[in-house]
Amino acid sequence: MTSTAQAQKSGAGTAHPDHLGHVIFIAAAAAMGGFLFGYDSSVINGAVEAIRGRYDIGSAALAQVIAIALIGCAIGAATAGRIADRIGRIRCMQISAALFTVSAVGSALPFALYDLAFWRIVGGFAIGMASVIGPAYIAEVAPPAYRGRLGSFQQAAIVIGIAISQLVNWGLLNAAGGDQRGKLMGLEAWQVMLGVMVIPAVLYGLLSFAIPESPRFLISVGKHERAREILAEVEGDKIDLDARVSEIEHAMKSEHKSTFKDLLGGSFFFKPIVWVGIGLSVFQQFVGINVAFYYSSTLWQSVGVDPTDSFFYSFTTSIINIVGTVIAMIFVDRIGRRPLALIGSVGMVIGLALEAWAFSFDLVDGKLPAAQGWTALIAAHVFVLFFALSWGVVVWVFLGEMFPNRIRAAALGVAASAQWIANWAITASFPSLADWNLSATYVIYTVFAALSIPFVLKYVKETKGKALEEMG
């Protein structure tokens, strides 16, 4: 019996939970990992200049401290699946929450630069774990009829985490009199910014005790009765629970465990479809999007914006990011992935080119001329909006759909790794590039945004409305 036939027999495809609110709570609790992902990724934005001043370091060393968290991210993402398969999804969330908490305390109370860098790696490891476990758990627990909407909680939580971190940073900076190194609660303001992450980290850990283990994991370790209880809880007791358990068991046994060897082939080491996935990941990062979240306060201060205002602009940018993400969630299944990607690329080219033009002017009394200053500010928001409504969401949709079943897991892993590496390259290089020539740096990002257009037109195929079995 096929998986489709079994699903029809069990009634899973049309299952509706008796208490949808409870299922939403479960998905939202799991998505707290995404909130921490977004929060931790961007909270460092408020500490960049203070770290530079406190430890008297240059741009290259500063960039490594900021970017080193991405090494932890890559390791955490690469190992999370294996850890979750061995000890369970919930335990994996609890480990992630504990690492987030420890990292927040350590980052807030460093005794040296290398100590701060170490805690950044620990936090990065937690980010990597959360980025894998949250979506996987939600997909395994959500009723099929609600899986798409509940799965979108993760991305929504990430962009909300980014926004909240910027709002908190702005509030703390105001409380410290506009000085990142001003005193708050006996610490410098930037230390409090990093330490505040303890609150959502502890909340994530507590919530993990209030949600059930994944039925898929329970079945894999022989706890069938508990799996039935949870399936009844999240999919309703009108389904045939025995048939549903058999369906999951059959799917797990028939799955092909893709390996790195499966990706090899073609004239350039990897199969062509794998290179397309890598290309999507690299273009998503090489347009410089994470500069907006890691360095925006520093960027605005470098062209004469008051520190408090620069933090506020970082917050407004993150609100635009949320708006763009919502737009993408609404239209990605209506107009398709490729059209959204192309619209986003055109918008990003315009925004980045205007920023490059504005930054090409000399500062007057430490500030950009008024017209160029406002142009840069508006263009930065335009860039983030078009990224969020397109590449920010579409790339992850593509990567989840575009690969043939036989290689999907391994290919997604390679593409995600390429994304972390590209993220690191941009994050580590920006301070030095900005010191060299800020306008030219944005020209580079503009070129990559422009190149993404022919890349999508020539190599990326639409996946809207296609079954996963049709890919490849």
Side-chain angles (χ1 to χ4, degrees), residues 271-327:
K271 296 179 186 295
I273 190 67
V274 179
W275 281 116
V276 174
I278 292 171
L280 284 168
S281 289
V282 170
F283 274 117
Q284 188 199 50
Q285 295 300 317
F286 274 15
V287 296
I289 186 59
N290 279 309
V291 168
F293 298 126
Y294 294 157
Y295 296 114
S296 59
S297 294
T298 297
L299 173 64
W300 296 125
Q301 290 173 53
S302 73
V303 293
V305 175
D306 174 82
T308 304
D309 288 342
S310 74
F311 275 59
F312 179 72
Y313 295 148
S314 296
F315 171 61
T316 59
T317 301
S318 60
I319 294 298
I320 293 295
N321 189 31
I322 294 175
V323 172
T325 300
V326 171
I327 293 171

Tab-separated table of all heavy atoms in Angstrom, residues 271-327:
chain	number	residue	atom	x	y	z
A	271	LYS	N	25.868	17.524	-9.163
A	271	LYS	CA	24.806	17.533	-10.166
A	271	LYS	C	24.350	18.979	-10.406
A	271	LYS	O	24.397	19.808	-9.495
A	271	LYS	CB	23.614	16.701	-9.681
A	271	LYS	CG	23.903	15.214	-9.496
A	271	LYS	CD	22.667	14.499	-8.994
A	271	LYS	CE	22.952	13.041	-8.649
A	271	LYS	NZ	23.326	12.231	-9.800
A	272	PRO	N	23.885	19.303	-11.620
A	272	PRO	CA	23.485	20.685	-11.923
A	272	PRO	C	22.443	21.240	-10.953
A	272	PRO	O	22.525	22.414	-10.566
A	272	PRO	CB	22.919	20.569	-13.344
A	272	PRO	CG	23.645	19.407	-13.946
A	272	PRO	CD	23.846	18.445	-12.825
A	273	ILE	N	21.462	20.428	-10.543
A	273	ILE	CA	20.419	20.930	-9.658
A	273	ILE	C	20.982	21.344	-8.300
A	273	ILE	O	20.487	22.272	-7.656
A	273	ILE	CB	19.291	19.878	-9.478
A	273	ILE	CG1	18.083	20.495	-8.761
A	273	ILE	CG2	19.800	18.663	-8.716
A	273	ILE	CD1	17.367	21.542	-9.552
A	274	VAL	N	22.053	20.674	-7.866
A	274	VAL	CA	22.690	21.033	-6.592
A	274	VAL	C	23.360	22.395	-6.722
A	274	VAL	O	23.293	23.230	-5.808
A	274	VAL	CB	23.705	19.954	-6.164
A	274	VAL	CG1	24.380	20.340	-4.845
A	274	VAL	CG2	23.013	18.601	-6.007
A	275	TRP	N	23.992	22.637	-7.864
A	275	TRP	CA	24.621	23.940	-8.097
A	275	TRP	C	23.586	25.064	-8.133
A	275	TRP	O	23.854	26.180	-7.670
A	275	TRP	CB	25.421	23.928	-9.398
A	275	TRP	CG	26.758	23.279	-9.279
A	275	TRP	CD1	27.194	22.148	-9.902
A	275	TRP	CD2	27.844	23.725	-8.467
A	275	TRP	NE1	28.481	21.852	-9.529
A	275	TRP	CE2	28.911	22.804	-8.643
A	275	TRP	CE3	28.031	24.795	-7.586
A	275	TRP	CZ2	30.126	22.926	-7.997
A	275	TRP	CZ3	29.256	24.920	-6.937
A	275	TRP	CH2	30.284	24.004	-7.145
A	276	VAL	N	22.400	24.763	-8.641
A	276	VAL	CA	21.336	25.773	-8.645
A	276	VAL	C	20.955	26.127	-7.210
A	276	VAL	O	20.782	27.305	-6.860
A	276	VAL	CB	20.110	25.279	-9.434
A	276	VAL	CG1	18.952	26.273	-9.304
A	276	VAL	CG2	20.454	25.079	-10.899
A	277	GLY	N	20.853	25.096	-6.356
A	277	GLY	CA	20.546	25.344	-4.942
A	277	GLY	C	21.634	26.155	-4.261
A	277	GLY	O	21.345	27.082	-3.492
A	278	ILE	N	22.894	25.817	-4.540
A	278	ILE	CA	24.012	26.578	-3.980
A	278	ILE	C	23.960	28.018	-4.478
A	278	ILE	O	24.176	28.972	-3.713
A	278	ILE	CB	25.355	25.908	-4.356
A	278	ILE	CG1	25.492	24.560	-3.636
A	278	ILE	CG2	26.535	26.819	-4.017
A	278	ILE	CD1	26.677	23.732	-4.113
A	279	GLY	N	23.664	28.186	-5.773
A	279	GLY	CA	23.581	29.534	-6.347
A	279	GLY	C	22.514	30.381	-5.680
A	279	GLY	O	22.746	31.560	-5.364
A	280	LEU	N	21.349	29.802	-5.439
A	280	LEU	CA	20.282	30.530	-4.749
A	280	LEU	C	20.734	30.983	-3.361
A	280	LEU	O	20.490	32.122	-2.948
A	280	LEU	CB	19.035	29.643	-4.633
A	280	LEU	CG	18.203	29.457	-5.903
A	280	LEU	CD1	17.194	28.334	-5.716
A	280	LEU	CD2	17.496	30.751	-6.288
A	281	SER	N	21.393	30.067	-2.642
A	281	SER	CA	21.860	30.393	-1.293
A	281	SER	C	22.894	31.508	-1.305
A	281	SER	O	22.856	32.423	-0.475
A	281	SER	CB	22.461	29.144	-0.635
A	281	SER	OG	21.459	28.211	-0.310
A	282	VAL	N	23.836	31.436	-2.238
A	282	VAL	CA	24.914	32.422	-2.304
A	282	VAL	C	24.369	33.794	-2.715
A	282	VAL	O	24.711	34.816	-2.105
A	282	VAL	CB	26.011	31.951	-3.275
A	282	VAL	CG1	27.016	33.069	-3.548
A	282	VAL	CG2	26.735	30.731	-2.690
A	283	PHE	N	23.519	33.822	-3.730
A	283	PHE	CA	22.941	35.106	-4.140
A	283	PHE	C	22.124	35.731	-3.012
A	283	PHE	O	22.136	36.950	-2.824
A	283	PHE	CB	22.066	34.937	-5.386
A	283	PHE	CG	22.833	35.009	-6.678
A	283	PHE	CD1	22.899	33.919	-7.532
A	283	PHE	CD2	23.504	36.173	-7.047
A	283	PHE	CE1	23.609	33.978	-8.726
A	283	PHE	CE2	24.216	36.253	-8.234
A	283	PHE	CZ	24.270	35.146	-9.079
A	284	GLN	N	21.408	34.894	-2.251
A	284	GLN	CA	20.601	35.434	-1.146
A	284	GLN	C	21.470	36.211	-0.157
A	284	GLN	O	21.041	37.228	0.390
A	284	GLN	CB	19.886	34.288	-0.422
A	284	GLN	CG	18.878	34.782	0.611
A	284	GLN	CD	18.520	33.723	1.633
A	284	GLN	OE1	19.391	33.089	2.225
A	284	GLN	NE2	17.231	33.533	1.857
A	285	GLN	N	22.703	35.764	0.062
A	285	GLN	CA	23.579	36.413	1.026
A	285	GLN	C	24.455	37.496	0.401
A	285	GLN	O	24.753	38.516	1.039
A	285	GLN	CB	24.473	35.362	1.704
A	285	GLN	CG	23.708	34.371	2.550
A	285	GLN	CD	22.930	35.029	3.666
A	285	GLN	OE1	23.420	35.923	4.346
A	285	GLN	NE2	21.689	34.604	3.852
A	286	PHE	N	24.869	37.319	-0.863
A	286	PHE	CA	25.828	38.241	-1.477
A	286	PHE	C	25.211	39.585	-1.866
A	286	PHE	O	25.934	40.482	-2.292
A	286	PHE	CB	26.497	37.588	-2.691
A	286	PHE	CG	27.704	36.745	-2.329
A	286	PHE	CD1	27.931	36.352	-1.014
A	286	PHE	CD2	28.601	36.336	-3.303
A	286	PHE	CE1	29.024	35.572	-0.674
A	286	PHE	CE2	29.708	35.569	-2.974
A	286	PHE	CZ	29.919	35.190	-1.660
A	287	VAL	N	23.901	39.731	-1.730
A	287	VAL	CA	23.309	41.062	-1.920
A	287	VAL	C	23.520	41.923	-0.671
A	287	VAL	O	23.169	43.119	-0.669
A	287	VAL	CB	21.803	40.980	-2.250
A	287	VAL	CG1	21.586	40.268	-3.575
A	287	VAL	CG2	21.009	40.310	-1.131
A	288	GLY	N	24.077	41.332	0.393
A	288	GLY	CA	24.433	42.106	1.578
A	288	GLY	C	23.320	42.295	2.589
A	288	GLY	O	23.374	43.221	3.397
A	289	ILE	N	22.340	41.401	2.592
A	289	ILE	CA	21.197	41.600	3.477
A	289	ILE	C	21.598	41.621	4.953
A	289	ILE	O	21.059	42.402	5.742
A	289	ILE	CB	20.104	40.521	3.230
A	289	ILE	CG1	18.854	40.827	4.065
A	289	ILE	CG2	20.636	39.127	3.528
A	289	ILE	CD1	18.211	42.172	3.781
A	290	ASN	N	22.562	40.801	5.348
A	290	ASN	CA	22.879	40.748	6.779
A	290	ASN	C	23.680	41.949	7.263
A	290	ASN	O	23.784	42.174	8.472
A	290	ASN	CB	23.592	39.434	7.122
A	290	ASN	CG	22.578	38.310	7.281
A	290	ASN	OD1	21.603	38.450	8.013
A	290	ASN	ND2	22.785	37.220	6.583
A	291	VAL	N	24.209	42.738	6.322
A	291	VAL	CA	24.798	44.018	6.709
A	291	VAL	C	23.718	44.885	7.359
A	291	VAL	O	23.964	45.617	8.329
A	291	VAL	CB	25.406	44.734	5.480
A	291	VAL	CG1	25.761	46.183	5.804
A	291	VAL	CG2	26.643	43.978	4.995
A	292	ALA	N	22.490	44.787	6.826
A	292	ALA	CA	21.379	45.584	7.358
A	292	ALA	C	21.012	45.179	8.777
A	292	ALA	O	20.481	45.995	9.536
A	292	ALA	CB	20.163	45.440	6.440
A	293	PHE	N	21.296	43.917	9.140
A	293	PHE	CA	20.899	43.456	10.472
A	293	PHE	C	22.059	43.393	11.458
A	293	PHE	O	21.858	43.494	12.662
A	293	PHE	CB	20.222	42.091	10.352
A	293	PHE	CG	18.972	42.134	9.526
A	293	PHE	CD1	18.803	41.285	8.447
A	293	PHE	CD2	17.974	43.060	9.790
A	293	PHE	CE1	17.659	41.345	7.672
A	293	PHE	CE2	16.832	43.132	9.021
A	293	PHE	CZ	16.667	42.278	7.953
A	294	TYR	N	23.284	43.205	10.972
A	294	TYR	CA	24.439	43.143	11.865
A	294	TYR	C	25.094	44.509	12.076
A	294	TYR	O	25.639	44.783	13.139
A	294	TYR	CB	25.502	42.187	11.304
A	294	TYR	CG	25.098	40.738	11.248
A	294	TYR	CD1	25.731	39.863	10.370
A	294	TYR	CD2	24.094	40.228	12.057
A	294	TYR	CE1	25.381	38.522	10.298
A	294	TYR	CE2	23.728	38.887	11.989
A	294	TYR	CZ	24.383	38.046	11.109
A	294	TYR	OH	24.028	36.719	11.044
A	295	TYR	N	25.054	45.357	11.038
A	295	TYR	CA	25.869	46.575	11.070
A	295	TYR	C	25.098	47.873	10.819
A	295	TYR	O	25.717	48.924	10.670
A	295	TYR	CB	26.973	46.488	10.004
A	295	TYR	CG	27.988	45.399	10.213
A	295	TYR	CD1	28.078	44.337	9.335
A	295	TYR	CD2	28.872	45.443	11.298
A	295	TYR	CE1	29.025	43.333	9.503
A	295	TYR	CE2	29.819	44.439	11.476
A	295	TYR	CZ	29.891	43.389	10.581
A	295	TYR	OH	30.825	42.405	10.758
A	296	SER	N	23.771	47.824	10.753
A	296	SER	CA	23.050	49.026	10.333
A	296	SER	C	23.297	50.216	11.253
A	296	SER	O	23.455	51.352	10.785
A	296	SER	CB	21.546	48.741	10.223
A	296	SER	OG	21.019	48.310	11.456
A	297	SER	N	23.358	49.989	12.573
A	297	SER	CA	23.616	51.110	13.493
A	297	SER	C	24.975	51.735	13.216
A	297	SER	O	25.129	52.960	13.156
A	297	SER	CB	23.537	50.641	14.946
A	297	SER	OG	22.219	50.252	15.273
A	298	THR	N	25.970	50.868	13.029
A	298	THR	CA	27.321	51.344	12.707
A	298	THR	C	27.332	52.079	11.375
A	298	THR	O	27.975	53.130	11.225
A	298	THR	CB	28.295	50.148	12.647
A	298	THR	OG1	28.359	49.551	13.936
A	298	THR	CG2	29.686	50.596	12.232
A	299	LEU	N	26.609	51.540	10.397
A	299	LEU	CA	26.558	52.148	9.072
A	299	LEU	C	26.000	53.563	9.144
A	299	LEU	O	26.602	54.506	8.618
A	299	LEU	CB	25.684	51.285	8.147
A	299	LEU	CG	25.385	51.848	6.761
A	299	LEU	CD1	26.662	51.970	5.951
A	299	LEU	CD2	24.374	50.970	6.030
A	300	TRP	N	24.862	53.732	9.825
A	300	TRP	CA	24.256	55.059	9.899
A	300	TRP	C	25.126	56.029	10.692
A	300	TRP	O	25.245	57.200	10.333
A	300	TRP	CB	22.853	54.974	10.506
A	300	TRP	CG	21.902	54.187	9.656
A	300	TRP	CD1	21.153	53.110	10.030
A	300	TRP	CD2	21.623	54.391	8.265
A	300	TRP	NE1	20.429	52.635	8.972
A	300	TRP	CE2	20.696	53.405	7.870
A	300	TRP	CE3	22.061	55.313	7.310
A	300	TRP	CZ2	20.201	53.314	6.583
A	300	TRP	CZ3	21.578	55.222	6.015
A	300	TRP	CH2	20.658	54.235	5.660
A	301	GLN	N	25.755	55.534	11.754
A	301	GLN	CA	26.645	56.417	12.521
A	301	GLN	C	27.849	56.844	11.696
A	301	GLN	O	28.365	57.956	11.851
A	301	GLN	CB	27.088	55.717	13.804
A	301	GLN	CG	25.961	55.560	14.830
A	301	GLN	CD	26.382	54.720	16.029
A	301	GLN	OE1	27.391	54.995	16.672
A	301	GLN	NE2	25.606	53.682	16.330
A	302	SER	N	28.294	55.979	10.787
A	302	SER	CA	29.480	56.303	9.975
A	302	SER	C	29.208	57.434	8.997
A	302	SER	O	30.146	58.053	8.501
A	302	SER	CB	29.954	55.060	9.204
A	302	SER	OG	29.081	54.747	8.143
A	303	VAL	N	27.921	57.680	8.699
A	303	VAL	CA	27.599	58.795	7.790
A	303	VAL	C	26.920	59.931	8.547
A	303	VAL	O	26.209	60.753	7.966
A	303	VAL	CB	26.710	58.320	6.610
A	303	VAL	CG1	27.502	57.383	5.715
A	303	VAL	CG2	25.430	57.657	7.097
A	304	GLY	N	27.148	59.958	9.864
A	304	GLY	CA	26.775	61.130	10.649
A	304	GLY	C	25.444	61.093	11.355
A	304	GLY	O	25.033	62.102	11.942
A	305	VAL	N	24.748	59.944	11.343
A	305	VAL	CA	23.472	59.860	12.048
A	305	VAL	C	23.720	59.709	13.548
A	305	VAL	O	24.612	58.966	13.972
A	305	VAL	CB	22.631	58.676	11.522
A	305	VAL	CG1	21.349	58.503	12.332
A	305	VAL	CG2	22.299	58.878	10.043
A	306	ASP	N	22.943	60.402	14.359
A	306	ASP	CA	23.048	60.323	15.806
A	306	ASP	C	22.852	58.864	16.258
A	306	ASP	O	22.005	58.150	15.711
A	306	ASP	CB	21.956	61.205	16.441
A	306	ASP	CG	21.911	61.071	17.944
A	306	ASP	OD1	22.712	61.723	18.619
A	306	ASP	OD2	21.056	60.294	18.432
A	307	PRO	N	23.643	58.363	17.251
A	307	PRO	CA	23.529	56.966	17.674
A	307	PRO	C	22.105	56.527	18.016
A	307	PRO	O	21.661	55.460	17.602
A	307	PRO	CB	24.447	56.893	18.899
A	307	PRO	CG	25.480	57.932	18.634
A	307	PRO	CD	24.754	59.042	17.936
A	308	THR	N	21.368	57.354	18.765
A	308	THR	CA	20.003	56.978	19.134
A	308	THR	C	19.121	56.859	17.899
A	308	THR	O	18.337	55.908	17.762
A	308	THR	CB	19.399	58.014	20.106
A	308	THR	OG1	20.254	58.127	21.248
A	308	THR	CG2	18.017	57.571	20.569
A	309	ASP	N	19.256	57.805	16.966
A	309	ASP	CA	18.480	57.738	15.725
A	309	ASP	C	18.876	56.511	14.899
A	309	ASP	O	18.030	55.878	14.259
A	309	ASP	CB	18.690	59.009	14.895
A	309	ASP	CG	18.008	60.223	15.506
A	309	ASP	OD1	17.107	60.030	16.355
A	309	ASP	OD2	18.386	61.358	15.149
A	310	SER	N	20.171	56.189	14.901
A	310	SER	CA	20.628	55.037	14.117
A	310	SER	C	19.995	53.753	14.630
A	310	SER	O	19.638	52.862	13.850
A	310	SER	CB	22.159	54.932	14.150
A	310	SER	OG	22.627	54.456	15.391
A	311	PHE	N	19.829	53.642	15.951
A	311	PHE	CA	19.169	52.461	16.511
A	311	PHE	C	17.691	52.438	16.125
A	311	PHE	O	17.121	51.380	15.858
A	311	PHE	CB	19.309	52.458	18.038
A	311	PHE	CG	20.596	51.843	18.518
A	311	PHE	CD1	21.823	52.346	18.124
A	311	PHE	CD2	20.585	50.747	19.362
A	311	PHE	CE1	23.006	51.792	18.559
A	311	PHE	CE2	21.761	50.172	19.806
A	311	PHE	CZ	22.979	50.695	19.412
A	312	PHE	N	17.067	53.613	16.109
A	312	PHE	CA	15.660	53.684	15.724
A	312	PHE	C	15.477	53.274	14.269
A	312	PHE	O	14.530	52.550	13.924
A	312	PHE	CB	15.117	55.108	15.945
A	312	PHE	CG	13.673	55.258	15.552
A	312	PHE	CD1	12.675	54.684	16.326
A	312	PHE	CD2	13.327	55.956	14.403
A	312	PHE	CE1	11.333	54.811	15.955
A	312	PHE	CE2	11.992	56.086	14.035
A	312	PHE	CZ	11.000	55.513	14.811
A	313	TYR	N	16.375	53.719	13.388
A	313	TYR	CA	16.291	53.344	11.975
A	313	TYR	C	16.496	51.828	11.809
A	313	TYR	O	15.894	51.209	10.921
A	313	TYR	CB	17.311	54.107	11.137
A	313	TYR	CG	17.075	55.606	11.089
A	313	TYR	CD1	18.138	56.503	10.977
A	313	TYR	CD2	15.789	56.126	11.156
A	313	TYR	CE1	17.916	57.881	10.935
A	313	TYR	CE2	15.567	57.503	11.119
A	313	TYR	CZ	16.637	58.369	11.018
A	313	TYR	OH	16.411	59.720	10.981
A	314	SER	N	17.338	51.235	12.644
A	314	SER	CA	17.516	49.783	12.606
A	314	SER	C	16.205	49.087	12.953
A	314	SER	O	15.857	48.051	12.370
A	314	SER	CB	18.605	49.353	13.592
A	314	SER	OG	19.862	49.886	13.224
A	315	PHE	N	15.470	49.665	13.903
A	315	PHE	CA	14.172	49.103	14.293
A	315	PHE	C	13.164	49.244	13.161
A	315	PHE	O	12.444	48.295	12.834
A	315	PHE	CB	13.655	49.794	15.558
A	315	PHE	CG	12.235	49.435	15.916
A	315	PHE	CD1	11.894	48.126	16.206
A	315	PHE	CD2	11.248	50.413	15.941
A	315	PHE	CE1	10.579	47.788	16.523
A	315	PHE	CE2	9.939	50.083	16.249
A	315	PHE	CZ	9.607	48.766	16.548
A	316	THR	N	13.094	50.424	12.524
A	316	THR	CA	12.131	50.609	11.438
A	316	THR	C	12.446	49.684	10.261
A	316	THR	O	11.531	49.177	9.601
A	316	THR	CB	12.094	52.076	10.961
A	316	THR	OG1	13.401	52.473	10.517
A	316	THR	CG2	11.629	53.003	12.074
A	317	THR	N	13.733	49.445	10.028
A	317	THR	CA	14.126	48.511	8.965
A	317	THR	C	13.592	47.114	9.259
A	317	THR	O	13.116	46.407	8.371
A	317	THR	CB	15.657	48.468	8.821
A	317	THR	OG1	16.149	49.775	8.525
A	317	THR	CG2	16.078	47.516	7.709
A	318	SER	N	13.669	46.704	10.528
A	318	SER	CA	13.198	45.364	10.887
A	318	SER	C	11.682	45.264	10.805
A	318	SER	O	11.142	44.189	10.525
A	318	SER	CB	13.700	44.977	12.282
A	318	SER	OG	13.249	45.874	13.264
A	319	ILE	N	10.968	46.367	11.010
A	319	ILE	CA	9.516	46.370	10.816
A	319	ILE	C	9.187	46.180	9.331
A	319	ILE	O	8.286	45.415	8.965
A	319	ILE	CB	8.887	47.687	11.337
A	319	ILE	CG1	9.043	47.792	12.855
A	319	ILE	CG2	7.410	47.776	10.936
A	319	ILE	CD1	8.340	46.702	13.628
A	320	ILE	N	9.943	46.868	8.473
A	320	ILE	CA	9.786	46.686	7.026
A	320	ILE	C	10.050	45.228	6.649
A	320	ILE	O	9.387	44.652	5.776
A	320	ILE	CB	10.749	47.623	6.256
A	320	ILE	CG1	10.345	49.094	6.453
A	320	ILE	CG2	10.775	47.279	4.764
A	320	ILE	CD1	8.998	49.453	5.865
A	321	ASN	N	11.012	44.610	7.307
A	321	ASN	CA	11.330	43.200	7.076
A	321	ASN	C	10.119	42.312	7.383
A	321	ASN	O	9.823	41.365	6.647
A	321	ASN	CB	12.524	42.807	7.961
A	321	ASN	CG	13.069	41.446	7.634
A	321	ASN	OD1	13.017	40.992	6.497
A	321	ASN	ND2	13.607	40.775	8.635
A	322	ILE	N	9.415	42.617	8.473
A	322	ILE	CA	8.211	41.857	8.821
A	322	ILE	C	7.135	42.047	7.757
A	322	ILE	O	6.506	41.071	7.303
A	322	ILE	CB	7.672	42.294	10.205
A	322	ILE	CG1	8.666	41.908	11.306
A	322	ILE	CG2	6.307	41.672	10.479
A	322	ILE	CD1	8.265	42.404	12.687
A	323	VAL	N	6.919	43.299	7.333
A	323	VAL	CA	5.906	43.598	6.317
A	323	VAL	C	6.197	42.824	5.028
A	323	VAL	O	5.306	42.199	4.433
A	323	VAL	CB	5.849	45.117	6.035
A	323	VAL	CG1	4.937	45.410	4.841
A	323	VAL	CG2	5.369	45.878	7.270
A	324	GLY	N	7.464	42.850	4.598
A	324	GLY	CA	7.842	42.137	3.378
A	324	GLY	C	7.644	40.641	3.503
A	324	GLY	O	7.201	39.976	2.554
A	325	THR	N	7.958	40.082	4.669
A	325	THR	CA	7.784	38.643	4.896
A	325	THR	C	6.314	38.261	4.801
A	325	THR	O	5.967	37.227	4.208
A	325	THR	CB	8.351	38.252	6.273
A	325	THR	OG1	9.746	38.580	6.314
A	325	THR	CG2	8.181	36.760	6.524
A	326	VAL	N	5.437	39.068	5.375
A	326	VAL	CA	3.992	38.798	5.301
A	326	VAL	C	3.524	38.837	3.846
A	326	VAL	O	2.735	37.980	3.406
A	326	VAL	CB	3.199	39.819	6.157
A	326	VAL	CG1	1.697	39.673	5.907
A	326	VAL	CG2	3.511	39.627	7.637
A	327	ILE	N	4.009	39.823	3.083
A	327	ILE	CA	3.653	39.912	1.660
A	327	ILE	C	4.067	38.634	0.930
A	327	ILE	O	3.297	38.074	0.133
A	327	ILE	CB	4.313	41.144	1.009
A	327	ILE	CG1	3.717	42.441	1.580
A	327	ILE	CG2	4.139	41.108	-0.520
A	327	ILE	CD1	4.450	43.694	1.151
